Amino acid sequence: MTFSAPFDNSYAALPAGFYTRIAPTPVANPKLLAFNADLAKSLGLADAEPDDLAFAFGGNELPQGADPLAQLYAGHQFGNYNPQLGDGRAILLGEVVDSDGIRRDIQLKGSGPTPYSRGGDGRAWLGPVLREYVVSEAMHALGIPTTRALAVVATGEDIYRETALPSAVLTRVAASHLRVGTFQVFAHRGEVENLRILTDYAIKRHYPQADGPMGLLRAVCAAQANLIAAWMSVGFIHGVMNTDNCSISGETIDYGPCAFMDAFHANRVFSSIDRQGRYAFSNQPQIAVWNMAQLATALIQQMDDADAAIAEATEIVHAMPAQIEAAWLKRFGAKIGIAEAVADDTALIEDLLALMQQDGADFTNAFRALGTDHAADEFVDQDAFAAWQARWQARIATEVDPAAVMATANPVIIPRNHRIEQMIQAAVAGDMAPFNRLMAALAKPFETTDPDLHRPPTDQEIVPATFCGT
Ligand code: AMP
Ligand code: MG
């Protein structure tokens, strides 16, 4: 039986210059390793047998109504403009309208080469596929905007990186795959008509209230400001915030060498390819603003009155640092029990972070312990922590229910790097139990269901870097 989905494709109706129609490349032996039944239900997908799902989401049999294509985009990678990237190993099957009435892309990643592959094999190895599945679903459970993961299909084929590795196909679900780089490619080529069509499409799809290109810019800046503050509030480092990995919808997208921090350090970098620390934890706000400046530059190319557009875009982008700071203050205020933090609370939060950094405190566990009788155990310098705690208690004395505010702002569990590595090793050996265990606990990040997963890594377990692993 062929798998079917209620496809309703809009991107495929855009001009031919936006994409290349191409089908996924079939794989040797598709086997369903993971499937997100709840997500499938919300997308209105029909029930199906695992083998049919493996054929559909491994790329061997196109679901009815699919109109597969690879999207064109460009982007700044580590600050340097690359005029043509595009889906080099991803294929959009089509779109469905979900149970909330929101249009969602269903995309295969690792589904074979496309005209944008630039010498790559179009495949992904199992490790990063499972990392994206776990981390994106954890992000969703934390209430942070993100693409989702629908399925993992093992291909039964090895691919060659430094060594032979098992390959897999991830099925990703997104509000769209429009990126800053999608706008850049048309702007840089001087394809103004395509830029206008793309702008209209993005407004209709994501921000129907937005008024023209500058209204779109304003909306994307607001969404990105919220996203960056949300990442920081859970100690997340994206790792590759290139403009092609920056979503117009404001979702976290393109999980590569990303990680949640264990011990707090503001300059923490995980990605093995980020040698300069461009995308370090505390640089993320600044980079998000830089990315929005690139979006602004692209959007302006279609404006009749360039001077007025530049003035307005500059005002919008310059307002963003304050937006991020306000979102940061709200989220970090909640993490210390303050329902509506004000600017005067900034020092209290920053002093705690400085103490955490000095003592190498575990970011997640230290916040979660605040207000318990074992809070001081998370710190080394007991006098400094006691002094901070006294200031903090004086501040929250006037709050209505600080414990309740903290309980929903401080997760007990994050997808820790060492657990992800252990999960990948097991999966490569054919054991999906650690994957299932992680997924079960991460689905309820504010509840204690599996305390051993709260533990920071031992010295032997520490994962110093995450690898791009394309
Ligand atoms: P990423 O760093 O994963 O966001 O990818 C950057 C660009 O490289 C995108 O255009 C990808 O489609 C492309 N790419 C990454 N890995 C591969 C691969 N194995 N084969 C072909 N293209 C790839
Ligand atoms: Mg990418």
Side-chain angles (χ1 to χ4, degrees):
M1 192 197 83
T2 310
F3 179 73
S4 74
F7 284 114
D8 175 28
N9 305 325
S10 66
Y11 209 81
L14 291 172
F18 280 60
Y19 53 80
T20 301
R21 281 207 158 77
I22 183 162
T25 306
V27 301
N29 187 17
K31 185 170 168 248
L32 191 69
L33 290 188
F35 189 69
N36 192 336
D38 289 344
L39 179 59
K41 201 168 169 217
S42 78
L43 297 172
L45 305 188
D47 285 336
E49 296 299 320
D51 283 352
D52 291 325
L53 294 171
F55 266 70
F57 297 117
N60 284 36
E61 196 167 272
L62 274 184
Q64 263 166 31
D67 192 352
L69 58 87
Q71 295 180 339
L72 171 70
Y73 54 86
H76 279 90
Q77 299 182 300
F78 292 91
N80 304 308
Y81 188 65
N82 188 329
Q84 191 184 298
L85 293 164
D87 291 331
R89 55 168 171 167
I91 288 174
L92 176 68
L93 288 182
E95 301 146 34
V96 299
V97 176
D98 75 6
S99 53
D100 294 328
I102 297 172
R103 179 176 295 278
R104 305 276 180 196
D105 282 4
I106 301 181
Q107 190 205 58
L108 304 185
K109 186 170 169 185
S111 47
T114 77
Y116 312 117
S117 296
R118 293 170 297 135
D121 60 5
R123 295 292 180 193
W125 89 269
L126 179 60
V129 165
L130 290 174
R131 179 187 289 116
E132 174 158 351
Y133 193 107
V134 169
V135 180
S136 67
E137 285 301 303
M139 199 66 101
H140 172 74
L142 286 164
I144 298 174
T146 177
T147 61
R148 308 263 330 252
L150 180 64
V152 175
V153 175
T155 63
E157 295 172 14
D158 279 350
I159 53 172
Y160 295 86
R161 296 297 181 253
E162 251 113 61
T163 136
L165 296 163
S167 84
V169 181
L170 176 75
T171 304
R172 170 161 83 175
V173 174
S176 83
H177 286 83
L178 297 180
R179 306 148 189 274
V180 170
T182 321
F183 288 81
Q184 287 181 291
V185 73
F186 296 131
H188 277 256
R189 289 179 178 182
E191 296 180 9
V192 175
E193 187 51 28
N194 280 344
L195 184 62
R196 289 208 168 101
I197 293 168
L198 178 64
T199 302
D200 285 346
Y201 180 85
I203 290 174
K204 282 202 188 78
R205 185 155 176 184
H206 296 300
Y207 307 103
Q209 350 54 328
D211 186 12
M214 292 302 109
L216 175 63
L217 179 63
R218 219 177 271 282
V220 179
C221 284
Q224 285 289 330
N226 174 55
L227 181 65
I228 299 307
W231 286 354
M232 298 192 70
S233 76
V234 292
F236 180 72
I237 305 167
H238 180 282
V240 202
M241 289 174 68
N242 292 337
T243 57
D244 52 302
N245 294 336
C246 179
S247 154
I248 295 303
S249 73
E251 288 182 335
T252 312
I253 194 168
D254 278 8
Y255 291 82
C258 60
F260 283 74
M261 261 191 291
D262 297 302
F264 177 71
H265 198 293
N267 297 331
R268 192 76 173 86
V269 178
F270 278 97
S271 166
S272 60
I273 55 172
D274 189 5
R275 299 216 170 79
Q276 315 286 320
R278 178 180 169 91
Y279 300 135
F281 179 73
S282 56
N283 274 359
Q284 296 182 117
Q286 198 181 316
I287 292 292
V289 176
W290 193 88
N291 287 347
M292 291 302 98
Q294 307 316 310
L295 177 62
T297 304
L299 285 168
I300 286 168
Q301 309 303 313
Q302 65 190 297
M303 307 296 279
D304 295 329
D305 184 346
D307 289 344
I310 290 168
E312 189 176 1
T314 304
E315 176 261 307
I316 294 168
V317 174
H318 282 183
M320 206 181 155
Q323 285 180 310
I324 299 175
E325 215 167 288
W328 181 94
L329 184 59
K330 172 125 184 75
R331 287 185 182 267
F332 276 83
K335 289 180 79 67
I336 62 168
I338 302 171
E340 294 295 337
V342 294
D344 275 352
D345 295 317
T346 306
L348 190 61
I349 298 164
E350 282 181 346
D351 291 348
L352 177 63
L353 290 171
L355 194 57
M356 286 168 65
Q357 176 162 321
Q358 174 202 292
D359 288 358
D362 184 85
F363 182 84
T364 304
N365 291 356
F367 273 109
R368 190 70 192 191
L370 289 179
T372 69
D373 57 8
H374 54 89
D377 296 353
E378 302 291 333
F379 295 86
V380 178
D381 186 340
Q382 295 293 304
D383 290 344
F385 180 69
W388 182 86
Q389 201 176 26
R391 280 165 66 204
W392 174 55
Q393 277 161 351
R395 170 61 185 87
I396 61 168
T398 54
E399 291 289 314
V400 178
D401 192 353
V405 171
M406 290 165 72
T408 54
N410 294 321
V412 292
I413 180 169
I414 49 155
R416 291 184 186 269
N417 243 339
H418 66 294
R419 292 297 186 181
I420 291 178
E421 289 307 317
Q422 291 164 6
M423 172 278 286
I424 291 171
Q425 306 256 314
V428 168
D431 176 12
M432 292 299 286
F435 170 88
N436 292 324
R437 177 183 173 191
L438 264 182
M439 289 302 296
L442 290 165
K444 296 188 175 112
F446 299 97
E447 290 174 32
T448 296
T449 57
D450 195 342
D452 193 40
L453 295 177
H454 304 178
R455 184 175 58 72
T458 61
D459 287 350
Q460 290 73 36
E461 286 173 325
I462 286 180
V463 180
T466 50
F467 296 89
C468 210
T470 59

